[in-house]
DNA sequence: TCATTATATAAGCAAATACTTATTGATAGC
DNA sequence: GCTATCAATAAGTATTTGCTTATATAATGA
């Protein structure tokens, strides 16, 4: 692995919000509009984060009509390391389920 | 592990020059003046990098008279992960031995 | 076809980062 | 005590990063 690749990889993971994104994706595939509610962030901010995670090949996207569904790239050579790192982190407070209770449940497809 | 801790940890590792520093420290403890030659960087730049690695508890320092000897923190809870990540990287081109051949061998202690 | 929805992209801004030159602080040797 | 050496720190600069508001693009539904 090139140094530049490792730098891209670790920098992609090593951001507070992107770690949260990855923690959520461990459970299930999600779309941007779900993340905007879960993380209380603007759509472009989420989109930029996904662009970085995609560039590092940590996530994959699937277009489903007007929705883009994001999931973890389980085929990544270092996927087990990522899982290990993420397992060290606390579970995020909000869940898709708690969004419903807040009346913020979004519907993707 | 707190999210902020993980961020500090990954950001500390995720820099090209700091990865090189860590690769060298896998082999042996070294001082700033050795790094300045190995990495062809200024002393303050190296010092700032060591400050970041120390803040993330990845390295430890030992003062020996006028020299500060740096070594990996093998007691770090995630030390095995660090070793694994570093093992994925190519060996640095310069070595302490090649410095001698270049007439740049420095003497610490 | 037009309006709506989802999201990528553009442009700009503030903060963080990696570097530099200069200075300061600590230690050793004479 | 003075001088030399090593390295931490200060201050400044250029670049990168994470965010915003605005806009463009793509897909769906009426």
């Amino acid at each position: 692995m090139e140094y530049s690749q490792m730098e891209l990889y670790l920098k992609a993971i090593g951001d507070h919000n992107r770690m949260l994104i990855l923690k959520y994706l461990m459970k299930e595939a999600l779309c941007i509009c779900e993340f905007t509610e879960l993380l209380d962030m603007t759509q472009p901010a989420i989109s930029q984060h996904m662009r970085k995670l995609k560039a590092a090949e940590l996530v994959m996207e699937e277009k489903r009509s007007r929705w883009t569904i994001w999931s973890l790239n389980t085929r990544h050579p270092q996927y087990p390391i990522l899982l290990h790192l993420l397992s060290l982190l606390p579970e995020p407070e909000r869940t898709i389920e708690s969004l419903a209770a807040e009346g913020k449940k979004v519907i993707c497809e």
Side-chain angles (χ1 to χ4, degrees), chain A:
Chain A
M1 195 190 230
E2 298 276 352
Y3 280 78
S4 55
Q5 258 187 305
M6 181 67 87
E7 183 171 352
L8 187 67
Y9 180 78
L10 294 174
K11 282 188 171 176
I13 307 174
D15 170 79
H16 187 274
N17 286 317
R18 287 201 287 280
M19 287 190 280
L20 284 169
I21 288 170
L22 294 168
K23 284 289 287 187
Y24 281 119
L25 291 179
M26 275 176 85
K27 305 182 197 176
E28 62 184 321
L30 294 166
C31 66
I32 306 272
C33 52
E34 283 169 310
F35 279 123
T36 57
E37 302 298 337
L38 284 168
L39 300 171
D40 200 27
M41 281 174 66
T42 63
Q43 174 268 313
I46 302 285
S47 190
Q48 293 292 346
H49 282 304
M50 301 318 294
R51 182 179 58 77
K52 288 210 168 200
L53 291 172
K54 180 184 172 188
E57 299 180 328
L58 290 166
V59 295
M60 299 185 301
E61 61 185 333
E62 180 188 352
K63 299 294 177 72
R64 275 201 220 137
S65 78
R66 62 179 72 165
W67 289 279
T68 305
I69 311 298
W70 296 89
S71 59
L72 288 186
N73 175 12
T74 56
R75 298 277 180 93
H76 193 290
Q78 318 310 332
Y79 180 64
I81 299 191
L82 175 65
L83 284 187
H84 188 163
L85 289 172
L86 293 178
S87 72
L88 301 172
L89 297 170
E91 289 302 311
E93 296 178 355
R94 283 189 175 183
T95 62
I96 290 287
E97 286 72 46
S98 67
L99 280 189
E102 288 175 70
K104 292 187 175 180
K105 171 73 176 178
V106 294
I107 300 185
C108 304
E109 216 259 18

